[in-house]
Amino acid sequence: MPQTVTPATPASTTDRVVDGPTPKHAQLREILRRAIERELPPGSPIPSERDLAERYQVSRLTVRSAIGKLVEEGLLTRARGKGTFTATRRMELQLYLMSFTDDMRRRGLTPATELLHCGSEAPPPETAGALGLAPRQPAYRLVRRRRADGVPLAVERGWYHPRRVPGLPDLDLTSSLYDQLAQHYDLRLDHARQTVRSEAADRETARLLGIRAGDPLLVFRRVSSASGVPVEDMTSWYRGDRYEVTMQLDRTVPAEHGGNP
Ligand code: 16G
């Protein structure tokens, strides 16, 4: 016999699983989708498999299949040992030359930074090229973990030009680096070339971000300069489940691309 109760709300006539051509797991999936999108705030627990099976008079296998699909779609997330929750909405990342600190404050979140490493080392040739350094000339390597409201969101591993920012290790690297560069060196990063790619988290990055190895990450590599002089070559690993990137597009093709895609 069909049941008519959605997870967090009273009965509604459309929310029932019936016999018919549409498989029951697909019907249940749509019922749950509606409840998630309309009624359940991000981060809410959904009822257990057993409760859903009872409410909708379907097998637990059917419930598992419906939930599995919604997890795949990113509407639900499973927390091991805790249950299944509606997914936290992703933060929209606009492509501006903005510091992590400013970006989080703009969203009303409190940024925090842990310094994981700062030292002087020879960067890989690609970075030496980007920063305009001689081969094997040392640069400052900086590794930091960034949090917003206590939640780890990004790991940043970057290189800094030693002559543009002499004494970088002596700065307060747990606060905004862009602010520090402005205060101590009068450097205001005004241009950056940024690329984005996806990557599966390796074990170390997964550990730092509190996710599982293999989980998706958005990886940004940013080479920033001030008045035409390169200063940083920074790669940031952002949690793929917390971010999405928005781009403003128009029809103008930059001249340097010569009209090629
Ligand atoms: C952002 C930048 C990063 C920069 C940092 C400075 C991206 C993808 N990355 O995380 O390159 O070093 O901001 O932030 O946007 P801060 O001034 O708060 O230290």
Side-chain angles (χ1 to χ4, degrees):
M1 213 235 283
Q3 287 278 304
T4 57
V5 184
T6 54
T9 51
S12 122
T13 47
T14 52
D15 289 339
R16 55 178 69 204
V17 174
V18 295
D19 291 324
T22 310
K24 289 189 172 170
H25 63 82
Q27 294 183 49
L28 181 60
R29 187 179 72 223
E30 295 316 308
I31 291 171
L32 295 177
R33 188 199 305 283
R34 277 197 295 277
I36 293 164
E37 288 174 348
R38 292 182 195 162
E39 294 146 24
L40 295 175
S44 317
I46 65 158
S48 68
E49 249 176 50
R50 191 199 300 166
D51 285 351
L52 288 170
E54 262 174 38
R55 285 184 193 191
Y56 294 100
Q57 292 292 292
V58 294
S59 71
R60 287 179 68 163
L61 204 67
T62 300
V63 174
R64 211 165 297 155
S65 158
I67 289 179
K69 191 81 186 130
L70 294 170
V71 170
E72 252 173 56
E73 286 180 27
L75 258 78
L76 294 175
T77 49
R78 287 197 181 102
R80 227 184 287 168
K82 291 186 188 152
T84 305
F85 297 82
T86 53
T88 314
R89 294 230 162 80
R90 286 164 198 249
M91 289 196 205
E92 187 191 358
L93 194 80
Q94 299 254 4
L95 299 179
Y96 298 122
L97 183 44
M98 194 185 282
S99 77
F100 182 87
T101 305
D102 286 347
D103 188 18
M104 292 308 130
R105 290 201 177 130
R106 193 176 58 105
R107 298 169 197 271
L109 304 173
T110 306
T113 305
E114 289 148 84
L115 178 61
L116 303 176
H117 175 88
C118 182
S120 179
E121 293 157 44
E126 207 192 355
T127 295
L131 293 180
L133 296 168
R136 289 182 299 284
Q137 184 185 342
Y140 290 123
R141 184 166 80 90
L142 182 62
V143 182
R144 302 191 300 166
R145 171 163 54 182
R146 319 299 304 260
R147 294 174 188 262
D149 282 356
V151 179
L153 285 187
V155 177
E156 297 176 344
R157 301 178 177 105
W159 295 91
Y160 288 83
H161 196 298
R163 278 202 308 280
R164 316 272 175 261
V165 292
L168 179 86
D170 300 330
L171 303 184
D172 176 8
L173 298 170
T174 61
S175 69
S176 166
L177 189 72
Y178 284 5
D179 280 356
Q180 298 273 309
L181 297 184
Q183 271 176 39
H184 294 271
Y185 308 103
D186 203 21
L187 274 179
R188 281 169 190 79
L189 300 176
D190 52 19
H191 179 80
R193 186 168 184 90
Q194 185 162 287
T195 51
V196 59
R197 63 175 197 267
S198 71
E199 207 176 279
D202 62 25
R203 288 173 66 154
E204 172 64 2
T205 308
R207 184 183 66 75
L208 290 170
L209 292 177
I211 56 176
R212 287 192 221 164
D215 279 355
L217 297 170
L218 282 170
V219 186
F220 298 87
R221 179 175 174 216
R222 178 186 284 193
V223 178
S224 319
S225 54
S227 308
V229 180
V231 175
E232 83 170 347
D233 178 355
M234 165 66 82
T235 304
S236 311
W237 284 260
Y238 278 74
R239 283 177 57 162
D241 61 338
R242 293 297 183 114
Y243 274 95
E244 62 187 18
V245 183
T246 300
M247 298 167 221
Q248 309 284 350
L249 306 180
D250 58 45
R251 280 185 78 88
T252 321
V253 180
E256 65 184 274
H257 289 165
N260 290 329

